Amino acid sequence: MKQLLYCLLVVLFAPPLAAADMRFNMTPGVTEISGKVYHLHMTILYICCAIGLVVFGVMIYAMINHRKSKGAVASHFHESTKVEIAWTILPFIILILMAIPATKTLIAMEDPSDADLTVKVTGSQWKWHYSYFDQDIDFYSILATPRAQIDGTETKGENYLLEVDKPLVLPINRKIRFLMTSEDVIHSWWVPAFAVKKDANPGFINEAWTRIDKPGIYRGQCAELCGKDHGFMPIVVQALPEAEFEAWVTEQKQAAGAAAEAAQAALSQTLSKDDLMTQGEQVYLGHCAACHQPNGEGLQGVFPHLKGSPIATGPLSGHLEIVLNGKTGTAMQAFSKQLSAQEIAAVITYERNAWGNNTGDAVQAKDVNEHMNGSAGTQAPATAPANTTPTPAPATEPAAVVDSATIVDPASLPTLTHEALMAEGETVYTTTCAACHQLTGAGIPPAFPALAGSAIATGPVANHLDIVMHGKTGTAMQAFGKQLSPQQLAAVITYERNAWGNNTGDTVQPADIASHGQ
């Protein structure tokens, strides 16, 4: 009998005792919270093992010592008050003992206050967009696994489907707050080593936080079924010592300046069609092939084909418009902020000449820039076919984004009607502001204040201009002076001051934006 009990003890307690070294068990991770989650998991496991030991021990003892072959006679009893009280109180006590540490851990997981760094994480099919608040750093992180490995023509690498072109870089020993949202469908940002798994919902902001203890590279992936390429949406985080992180921030700002200079220089360059096709193929495989397929045939009923399509073989202006600004109500994203003018020129050239399209067009960066600035239609590309007639941009199309800190002559900016500003402002608000302040302007207090009836949206216009253009330190409110053009800023402020019953009657013009603070 004793040997049997010893064997039972070994069977029940050997797994939890060796759990830390087991491949399939939860890992302690590299953060304080992940450690708490791991220890909570192990505590609950030990409690379950103890319950199993008692229950199965009593069952086995009863079966061995009270079997019929030993002459045992079953007792007859009904409605034992003591038994009913016991099996009600004991589980209640056990649940309380389990709930206390679980509640403490959950409360700690949901406390993003007093963060040293805030990062906005935006999911879109199928990439992550990271924005560092107060750092003027943002970039897209895209799957870097070669297409040949995915197609099975090459041996799969060590980090197959868990590698990206640009990892999220974070400092260790600092509290980092994440704001999660989405541009299209529900995604979920999950890094097991941090014990962070939070849904990214379109139109809403969810919060999470972490403080990383050890430098290293940590991998995760989207944990929500977000579409056909759900498995191609990895997360890679590179944790650096604080000094190295500050150096990285400096490098990123210098790289951004160099990229801006290169983009400006590209406007005066004319590349050969072969060079554009080579670059365009790489851009297409990295950003477009997931939906439209490497062969340009798309997925019928889901993603339209580009091979022989009216977009890829029709007027160039229509092709530029949909690549730059996307298409509302579909999975087609706007790539104007994701790719440089040179990359967009190359990928459009590739799409218009690959798979037998053969339009002969060679789109240059200056053509893309002209379309973005609303001057498309003034002249067609030199290599465009004679029957390609670009459509002039609408008169109310927003001007190119400029730094509002740059001195701009207010007299050079247009004066728009109140109705035109409200229409454009609603569009800007929906795409830029509604994730925090909600479509109804009700916000998500206390994290994101309401704009409906707020002191900012109904008070002095100067205060409204200042907080939208320059943000608010210590909060999630970003500075939009470098993200939106004067016309877009004027439109969204006009909208916020007259929507949801605010009805101030104010009409803010682009000239007011340009003159603010000068």
Side-chain angles (χ1 to χ4, degrees), residues 318-386:
H319 200 165
L320 283 164
E321 179 67 23
I322 198 167
V323 172
L324 287 168
N325 301 317
K327 186 175 181 181
T328 304
T330 72
M332 182 61 193
Q333 304 171 37
F335 284 93
S336 57
K337 294 183 179 180
Q338 300 187 40
L339 301 174
S340 67
Q342 183 61 66
E343 290 172 321
I344 291 173
V347 76
I348 290 178
T349 298
Y350 178 74
E351 290 173 353
R352 297 181 72 81
N353 292 278
W355 321 299
N357 287 347
N358 300 335
T359 63
D361 295 335
V363 184
Q364 302 294 338
K366 63 181 179 181
D367 303 321
V368 176
N369 187 61
E370 288 171 0
H371 189 91
M372 292 174 66
N373 287 331
S375 58
T378 57
Q379 64 180 10
T383 55

Side-chain angles (χ1 to χ4, degrees), residues 408-415 486-487 490 508-516:
V408 177
D409 182 9
S412 67
L413 298 172
T415 298
Q487 182 170 319
V508 182
Q509 296 293 343
D512 301 323
I513 303 296
S515 60
H516 182 72

Side-chain angles (χ1 to χ4, degrees), residues 223-245:
E224 187 67 46
L225 189 59
C226 59
K228 78 172 192 66
D229 277 353
H230 156 69
F232 297 166
M233 196 171 173
I235 300 160
V236 178
V237 179
Q238 183 178 8
L240 298 176
E242 295 179 77
E244 292 184 23
F245 175 76

Side-chain angles (χ1 to χ4, degrees), residues 157-222:
E158 179 183 357
N159 297 310
Y160 176 68
L161 297 186
L162 290 175
E163 49 199 336
V164 298
D165 58 347
K166 295 180 181 179
L168 174 64
V169 179
L170 299 175
I172 64 171
N173 301 325
R174 291 188 191 176
K175 188 171 184 177
I176 300 152
R177 175 189 181 208
F178 298 110
L179 300 179
M180 313 283 191
T181 188
S182 170
E183 290 183 347
D184 35 53
V185 300
I186 299 176
H187 301 279
S188 186
W189 199 83
W190 176 47
V191 179
F194 301 164
V196 174
K197 179 180 180 291
K198 187 68 70 170
D199 281 355
N201 300 315
F204 294 89
I205 292 284
N206 284 330
E207 292 183 279
W209 71 276
T210 191
R211 182 185 282 111
I212 308 168
D213 297 332
K214 300 177 182 178
I217 295 179
Y218 306 104
R219 303 178 190 274
Q221 52 195 156
C222 177

Side-chain angles (χ1 to χ4, degrees), residues 15 26 46 61 72 133 156 211 219 276 289 345 377 437 460 486-487:
M26 180 179 287
Y46 292 140
Y61 176 83
F133 284 16
K156 292 175 172 50
R211 182 185 282 111
R219 303 178 190 274
L276 289 165
H437 298 291
Q487 182 170 319

